[in-house]
Amino acid sequence: MNIENTQAQMRKGVLEYCILSILNNGEAYPSEIIEQLKQGKLIVVEGTLYPLLTRLKNADLLSYRWEESTSGPPRKYYQLTDKGKKFLEELATTWDDLVAAVEITRKPTKK
Amino acid sequence: MNQTLTINISGIVFHIEVDAYEALKVYLNTIKSYFNNSEEREEIMLDIEARVAEIFAEAQNDKNQVIVMADVNKVIAIMGEPEQYLTDEEEEIPAQKTHRKREDKKLFRDPDDRVLGGVASGLGAYIGLDTVWIRLFFVAAFFMGFGILTYIILWIVMPEAKTTAEKLKMRGEPINIKNIGKAFESEAQKVGEKLQNVDTNKFSSKAGTVLENIVMAIASFFTAVFNIFGKVLGIAFLFVGTFMLVVLLALLFGSTAIFSISNDGVYSMASQDFFNLIFVNQDQFYLASIAVFLLIGVPVIGLIFLSIRMLFKVRSHYSVGLTFVGLLVVGTILAFMVGTRLAVEMSAEEEFEKTEIISPDFNTYVIKTNITEMPGQGVLEDKFTSISIEGDMMYQRFVELSVERSKNDSMMITTNFSSHGKSPKDALNKAKAINYVHQLNDSILFFPDYLATNKEHKIRGQQVEITVYLPLYQSIYLDKSTKELIYDIDNFTNTYDKKMVGRKWVMLEQGLTCLDCDDIEGITSKELEELKALKMVE
């Protein structure tokens, strides 16, 4: 059993939920999303994000619009679709359940 | 000094150093190879490239306008190694790949380890055998005869491992970032070497081995030699062809053409006059002219054409060659027509003889001729004029003189006149029309070396053959002027005609014998006494 592997699995599991949560606060382009994810130490490199965003968009959870940039190529600004919002709500419920479940398991049983 | 490339990423132009470019290419290609869904892949790659462009754009300022290796490394640090791009969905596949490692080996030629085409090293990598053994096998196979062919076939069939991924596949190594990185390092090293070689090595684009460079140098040397040889040959053809064409045109349309200058002198022909002396009418003359032009002129023009092609590498339409062949065929037909007509004109041959008996008043007769110019204007000239015309008369130098033993005691001169013609009657008429007279003054026999006929009789092989019959002990002196006149005179010592002149000859039982040569051969004592009695020898 590899500790790093297990950690990575756990992070990956919540990654999609976090991305959707970030976008629930307003539209953002990948670099902004990455900034927040990095703060939360959820990802360390940007490469991971691009395939995820593309898949979420292809699943109609996200949509994007182009915006010109002064310092480089035009940027994709992602935002949640209605479907994405519903998806996020369900994920939020699941997350709450998970947190509760984890809390329960962590409490020492008083028998 | 570093070479830079100009690339376009997401619509932005960057100058990038070659090694940085190679690294970036390997990085992006590796990422790309990790995604299976092609639709997604395109989009993901575009996003990634856009981000790379953004990072590059940020890195650039007034001082740094060129993307270097450090920038690419920065991109990899920010974006992550290719493995880190993987999400759950893909992760299974590379895992499988490592299991299928052996089957995943592919047969490639190894461009990094080669003597010729990298076939041996590629095979070695595939079989898992050290390349040395494969090379030894090929050397052995070369001596057994099938080595070269096998090698060439394999060279053609086996693709070259160009990309890093292909090189890893060749060795059967899993395509992961560790191997890519390893491969990339040696790749970058090679790129550096390549760039250093640019100035000194003409063939650096292939960065080949020493042997390959030698082979290519030899090949280019021979190509150059062949090119130069071709050009020289082209110029030679052009000169010869042009010269021949000028001669031919002069021959057909000029009055006199000189077409050979040999050590015998100038050989020339007044072609118009000559043809007129051969052909019965103008039509035949024209036909013959056209035939000659086609049969000689067309190949000559072809030669000139060929030389131009060799010199300027002009491609010709196939119809050109076809036209040449067509014209040659027409020329052949015309020549055949004219030839048959001429053959008919010459079909019959007749001759008649005149005999003159000479009283043997002198022990020795001197045989002389004139080597002066023939009368009139020369039509066919070589060492001397062969044919000439003056007014209505035509002169031909077709006279031969021979010496034989007389069947009786008298000395005789027979003159044989012969000619060709379209019928025996015509031939005889032409023979009779020959005007040829010899003269006898005291002991001097004078034979002209040309015969005369009227021009209207044409050139029909008219000939005069003179035979001087000598009785026993009759001697003659062949004047030096007769060198060209005498023809194959039988003599005891088998002396050539040209060496017989300027000597005194006597007719003996054994044949004509030289009297004043250094060593008199074959004369019996009886004959010697006889000769002494005649006061011909001392």
Side-chain angles (χ1 to χ4, degrees):
Chain A
M1 207 63 187
N2 190 332
I3 179 74
E4 281 168 19
N5 200 23
T6 312
Q7 287 169 337
Q9 294 292 333
M10 287 171 77
R11 283 195 198 102
K12 269 176 189 164
V14 294
L15 202 49
E16 285 166 14
Y17 174 50
C18 293
I19 291 168
L20 293 175
S21 300
I22 291 166
L23 292 174
N24 198 31
N25 300 329
E27 59 176 9
Y29 68 97
S31 295
E32 289 175 341
I33 302 169
I34 286 158
E35 270 317 300
Q36 298 198 31
L37 290 176
K38 270 186 180 171
Q39 281 173 18
K41 289 182 183 171
L42 271 169
I43 58 169
V44 281
V45 291
E46 296 186 14
T48 323
L49 184 66
Y50 293 96
L52 267 178
L53 283 175
T54 303
R55 277 181 202 128
L56 291 171
K57 185 216 51 158
N58 286 347
D60 291 332
L61 303 178
L62 302 180
S63 64
Y64 66 88
R65 62 177 179 83
W66 288 106
E67 194 171 297
E68 291 296 319
S69 161
T70 48
S71 62
R75 291 166 170 173
K76 273 177 177 176
Y77 273 82
Y78 287 94
Q79 62 198 45
L80 282 182
T81 59
D82 291 342
K83 196 180 169 186
K85 278 173 186 163
K86 275 178 196 164
F87 195 86
L88 179 60
E89 278 166 25
E90 280 172 41
L91 280 184
T93 317
T94 312
W95 177 247
D96 291 340
D97 292 348
L98 266 176
V99 170
V102 171
E103 283 304 315
I104 290 165
T105 52
R106 284 172 68 172
K107 273 178 192 167
T109 45
K110 293 168 186 175
K111 272 183 183 173
Chain B
M1 191 194 78
N2 273 326
Q3 200 179 346
T4 61
L5 298 166
T6 305
I7 54 169
N8 173 348
I9 312 176
S10 289
I12 298 179
V13 171
F14 295 101
H15 296 289
I16 183 165
E17 284 187 359
V18 172
D19 52 352
Y21 168 73
E22 294 286 335
L24 182 66
K25 200 169 77 176
V26 169
Y27 178 70
L28 291 175
N29 282 341
T30 312
I31 294 167
K32 203 171 175 179
S33 71
Y34 274 40
F35 298 112
N36 297 311
N37 184 326
S38 62
E39 260 176 60
E40 270 182 9
R41 184 171 58 201
E42 288 309 309
E43 195 168 355
I44 295 166
M45 290 316 291
L46 283 176
D47 288 347
I48 291 168
E49 283 182 16
R51 180 61 183 143
V52 170
E54 211 169 45
I55 295 169
F56 280 167
E58 284 166 13
Q60 281 191 314
N61 53 43
D62 290 344
K63 277 185 186 172
N64 300 317
Q65 298 196 332
V66 177
I67 307 299
V68 295
M69 203 61 194
D71 295 315
V72 176
N73 286 334
K74 191 181 160 195
V75 163
I76 297 173
I78 293 172
M79 304 288 283
E81 301 290 346
E83 285 164 312
Q84 291 173 288
Y85 282 74
L86 292 177
T87 50
D88 296 340
E89 287 158 64
E90 286 92 12
E91 230 160 357
E92 297 307 312
I93 293 120
Q96 276 174 2
K97 267 187 183 168
T98 46
H99 285 297
R100 292 206 328 247
K101 192 166 135 182
R102 287 294 302 179
E103 298 127 78
D104 219 44
K105 241 184 192 180
K106 270 196 78 181
L107 192 54
F108 284 107
R109 284 186 288 117
D110 189 350
D112 302 332
D113 177 19
R114 62 176 173 185
V115 176
L116 288 172
V119 170
S121 50
L123 275 176
Y126 189 74
I127 303 168
L129 207 61
D130 196 293
T131 313
V132 174
W133 299 111
I134 313 276
R135 290 205 176 115
L136 279 174
F137 167 77
F138 272 115
V139 171
F142 167 75
F143 286 110
M144 283 186 275
F146 62 91
I148 292 178
L149 196 65
T150 313
Y151 192 91
I152 290 170
I153 290 170
L154 286 172
W155 196 341
I156 295 166
V157 169
M158 287 163 70
E160 193 182 314
K162 285 191 184 117
T163 67
T164 309
E166 280 173 342
K167 278 171 196 167
L168 288 172
K169 263 188 187 171
M170 178 182 73
R171 292 184 209 110
E173 287 172 25
I175 304 170
N176 55 39
I177 194 61
K178 218 182 264 177
N179 286 330
I180 293 266
K182 221 162 60 184
F184 168 73
E185 258 171 45
S186 60
E187 193 95 332
Q189 207 179 334
K190 208 148 279 163
V191 169
E193 284 166 14
K194 229 189 270 185
L195 290 173
Q196 279 174 357
N197 286 341
V198 162
D199 292 331
T200 51
N201 191 345
K202 223 172 129 182
F203 308 108
S204 70
S205 61
K206 287 201 168 180
T209 61
V210 176
L211 182 60
E212 185 168 283
N213 285 348
I214 290 170
V215 170
M216 284 182 77
I218 291 170
S220 60
F221 169 75
F222 275 107
T223 317
V225 166
F226 276 119
N227 278 340
I228 292 166
F229 185 68
K231 292 267 190 267
V232 170
L233 212 62
I235 290 168
F237 280 3
L238 194 62
F239 271 113
V240 171
T242 312
F243 176 71
M244 285 171 76
L245 194 66
V246 168
V247 168
L248 184 69
L249 290 175
L251 191 69
L252 290 177
F253 305 110
S255 57
T256 305
I258 296 165
F259 51 88
S260 135
I261 299 170
S262 63
N263 36 1
D264 276 349
V266 177
Y267 193 78
S268 75
M269 180 164 118
S271 47
Q272 303 261 333
D273 290 332
F274 182 71
F275 284 157
N276 274 326
L277 288 174
I278 288 178
F279 298 113
V280 184
N281 54 40
Q282 284 290 310
D283 294 351
Q284 272 194 47
F285 167 67
Y286 290 133
L287 278 183
S289 296
I290 294 166
V292 168
F293 181 77
L294 290 180
L295 283 180
I296 302 173
V298 168
V300 167
I301 291 170
L303 194 67
I304 294 172
F305 190 75
L306 185 71
S307 68
I308 289 169
R309 269 186 60 178
M310 286 171 102
L311 285 175
F312 305 112
K313 301 203 167 170
V314 185
R315 303 288 311 158
S316 67
H317 197 253
Y318 70 94
S319 61
V320 176
L322 225 57
T323 310
F324 279 146
V325 172
L327 289 174
L328 275 177
V329 169
V330 172
T332 310
I333 293 168
L334 285 178
F336 185 75
M337 282 165 61
V338 174
T340 30
R341 187 82 196 91
L342 216 57
V344 169
E345 283 284 325
M346 305 277 270
S347 59
E349 184 184 4
E350 283 297 325
E351 58 178 1
F352 77 98
E353 261 180 19
K354 277 183 191 168
T355 304
E356 184 190 358
I357 296 175
I358 294 166
S359 56
D361 297 335
F362 300 92
N363 280 338
T364 304
Y365 279 91
V366 177
I367 296 176
K368 279 184 88 168
T369 185
N370 55 334
I371 2 176
T372 52
E373 288 289 304
M374 278 166 75
Q377 197 194 342
V379 172
L380 195 65
E381 300 190 8
D382 43 24
K383 204 186 299 183
F384 307 101
T385 307
S386 291
I387 297 167
S388 71
I389 45 174
E390 187 182 43
D392 283 342
M393 294 306 285
M394 169 175 69
Y395 303 94
Q396 301 182 67
R397 205 189 286 270
F398 297 124
V399 178
E400 280 174 16
L401 185 137
S402 186
V403 178
E404 279 177 35
R405 183 174 168 183
S406 174
K407 288 187 180 72
N408 46 47
D409 288 341
S410 53
M411 183 175 167
M412 289 188 303
I413 295 169
T414 63
T415 312
N416 180 295
F417 301 86
S418 65
S419 175
H420 287 261
K422 60 187 168 209
S423 63
K425 197 182 159 194
D426 181 48
L428 193 61
N429 278 339
K430 283 180 164 46
K432 281 183 174 168
I434 296 172
N435 187 358
Y436 184 82
V437 189
H438 63 263
Q439 290 154 17
L440 177 62
N441 288 320
D442 293 334
S443 69
I444 295 173
L445 272 164
F446 181 83
F447 297 95
D449 64 348
Y450 57 87
L451 56 92
T453 53
N454 194 297
K455 250 162 79 175
E456 69 187 24
H457 291 296
K458 306 284 177 188
I459 299 170
R460 287 294 178 266
Q462 289 94 335
Q463 203 176 12
V464 169
E465 286 164 307
I466 303 144
T467 311
V468 177
Y469 290 95
L470 299 179
L472 271 180
Y473 300 113
Q474 176 64 53
S475 80
I476 50 163
Y477 175 81
L478 291 171
D479 189 78
K480 282 186 174 162
S481 61
T482 60
K483 199 168 135 187
E484 302 293 327
L485 183 72
I486 59 174
Y487 181 76
D488 200 17
I489 298 175
D490 283 337
N491 63 83
F492 178 66
T493 42
N494 283 327
T495 308
Y496 285 121
D497 289 344
K498 286 183 182 174
K499 289 187 175 173
M500 286 180 78
V501 296
R503 303 261 176 218
K504 204 185 216 179
W505 297 83
V506 65
M507 186 58 75
L508 298 175
E509 288 287 351
Q510 64 198 13
L512 204 57
T513 308
C514 184
L515 263 184
D516 55 359
C517 294
D518 291 339
D519 45 343
I520 302 172
E521 283 180 68
I523 297 177
T524 61
S525 52
K526 190 189 157 207
E527 284 171 338
L528 200 62
E529 275 171 31
E530 191 80 27
L531 288 171
K532 276 178 179 171
L534 289 165
K535 297 195 174 172
M536 287 166 71
V537 287
E538 282 138 32

